[in-house]
Amino acid sequence: GAVVSQHPSRVICKSGTSVKIECRSLDFQATTMFWYRQFPKKSLMLMATSNEGSKATYEQGVEKDKFLINHASLTLSTLTVTSAHPEDSSFYICSAKPGSETQYFGPGTRLLVL
Amino acid sequence: AQSVTQLGSHVSVSEGALVLLRCNYSSSVPPYLFWYVQYPNQGLQLLLKYTTGATLVKGINGFEAEFKKSETSFHLTKPSAHMSDAAEYFCAVSGSNSGYALNFGKGTSLLVTP
């Protein structure tokens, strides 16, 4: 139980294009989902907290217009990187919380912007 | 706010030896503490967690951790290392005052030598 999927697992795009990453909780409903970014050999940095049916809460320093988050249902949250640039290349990981204190993580999405 | 400090960015042990990964936390509210493991290019897998109750918690793959409030520590141990334990380990803390968002340590890379 408590499986979280992400799609795509990796994506390569041209600079200036937008990329959407999906995060799904497969066997539970997630009232809250989180989006993290991980740089090579670094820890995870929380980008935003996504609550179903409401606006996401972004961490300080994260551009909300750059990283659009939508949590349209209790099993799906999406992160759209708009007008991507090479510095946005990173490993993006989502997690979902079913109402308890424990977060379950997706497998991550490797984004490479050329 | 909560934070964790992981002492030692790299730890090397011999196969069969004791594994000890250190984590100290800071929290203004009762902390929820977690250890996650990450294999290359993958998401995070929950090893174990402490919320309330018994301070010695057992997790998967033979790992355990002890919550010591007086020392503000939550060190991860395993009696006998396996080659398959080589990975990145993250300690994390959350609390009710932050919506249970996780604050991660910088991670400890565990190397297991034959």
Side-chain angles (χ1 to χ4, degrees), chain A residues 29-49:
Chain A
Q29 293 186 326
T31 54
T32 305
M33 290 183 171
F34 302 88
W35 286 96
Y36 296 84
R37 181 173 179 176
Q38 186 177 33
F39 293 96
K41 300 189 183 303
K42 297 289 186 182
S43 188
L44 282 77
M45 180 191 78
L46 177 65
M47 298 175 66
T49 302

Side-chain angles (χ1 to χ4, degrees), chain A residues 3 5 16 20 22 32 44 49-50 64 73 76 79 83 94 100:
Chain A
V3 179
S5 70
K20 179 184 284 188
E22 292 185 349
T32 305
L44 282 77
T49 302
S50 170
K64 60 181 66 176
S73 76
L76 174 64
L79 168 67
S83 186
C94 73
S100 67

Side-chain angles (χ1 to χ4, degrees), chain A residues 37 39 66 84-90 92 113:
Chain A
R37 181 173 179 176
F39 293 96
K66 173 76 169 174
H85 290 284
E87 58 265 29
D88 299 323
S89 299
S90 194
Y92 293 89
V113 184

Side-chain angles (χ1 to χ4, degrees), chain A residues 7-8 11 18-22 35 68 77-81 109:
Chain A
H7 178 80
V11 56
S18 295
V19 174
K20 179 184 284 188
I21 302 170
E22 292 185 349
W35 286 96
L68 299 179
S77 176
T78 59
L79 168 67
T80 301
V81 183
T109 297

Side-chain angles (χ1 to χ4, degrees), chain B residues 13-85:
Chain B
V13 300
S14 300
E15 190 175 19
L18 171 71
V19 176
L20 171 60
L21 304 182
R22 299 178 186 274
C23 173
N24 288 90
Y25 71 89
S26 172
S27 179
S28 57
V29 298
Y32 292 166
L33 293 158
F34 305 81
W35 276 100
Y36 286 89
V37 62
Q38 184 181 33
Y39 297 98
N41 295 310
Q42 295 186 26
L44 275 69
Q45 181 181 13
L46 178 66
L47 279 177
L48 48 80
K49 65 179 180 181
Y50 168 79
T51 54
T52 59
T55 56
L56 180 63
V57 292
K58 295 184 184 298
I60 62 172
N61 302 339
F63 285 94
E64 63 182 39
E66 186 171 11
F67 170 64
K68 292 187 176 181
K69 185 177 180 180
S70 62
E71 298 178 7
T72 61
S73 68
F74 191 59
H75 301 330
L76 181 71
T77 61
K78 181 174 180 177
S80 177
H82 289 188
M83 298 296 290
S84 60
D85 293 328

